[in-house]
Amino acid sequence: VHRYGVPLDPEDWSARGQHGQVVSMRKDGVAVARTYEAGVLHGECTYSYPHREVIQRKEIYNQGSVVQEISYYPSGLPQQQVTYESPIRQSLIVWYE
């Protein structure tokens, strides 16, 4: 999906600079949506629960480096959030369902 919301063929997406979102379905039923900017992960990357539309995990990237990971309960409520503040420093937030 182009960053303006237009579905594209893989060849067109590559030819147009690899900006936008790649949505795929794994064999185990997990839907994966990755956001790219100039071919590099930048923005949200989401993974659903198998055979469901509810997000299980969300990763947020900044120019190819993960800056935050959020896990969700099957109900859709957040479970835990890890923020990578530096290569050696992380902060963790945990919620109870």
Side-chain angles (χ1 to χ4, degrees), residues 28-47:
D28 62 358
V30 173
V32 180
R34 294 183 173 108
T35 306
Y36 290 88
E37 187 71 36
V40 177
L41 281 171
H42 185 74
E44 290 186 357
C45 179
T46 60
Y47 300 84

Side-chain angles (χ1 to χ4, degrees), residues 77-90:
L77 295 172
Q79 182 178 20
Q80 84 174 23
Q81 173 181 308
V82 179
T83 303
Y84 300 97
E85 298 170 1
S86 73
I88 59 170
R89 183 176 163 95
Q90 304 172 5

Side-chain angles (χ1 to χ4, degrees), residues 22-68:
V22 175
V23 180
S24 59
M25 180 69 71
R26 298 188 331 198
K27 288 182 181 181
D28 62 358
V30 173
V32 180
R34 294 183 173 108
T35 306
Y36 290 88
E37 187 71 36
V40 177
L41 281 171
H42 185 74
E44 290 186 357
C45 179
T46 60
Y47 300 84
S48 73
Y49 278 95
H51 309 289
R52 296 186 60 199
E53 293 183 10
V54 178
I55 294 175
Q56 179 182 26
R57 189 174 84 233
K58 181 189 305 183
E59 300 168 344
I60 300 175
Y61 287 85
N62 184 11
Q63 298 299 320
S65 298
V66 66
V67 293
Q68 192 174 70

Side-chain angles (χ1 to χ4, degrees), residues 1-10 12-13 16 19-22:
V1 178
H2 192 271
R3 64 179 159 190
Y4 298 119
V6 180
L8 297 173
D9 292 323
D12 287 341
W13 184 76
R16 295 175 188 258
H19 303 292
Q21 191 175 56
V22 175

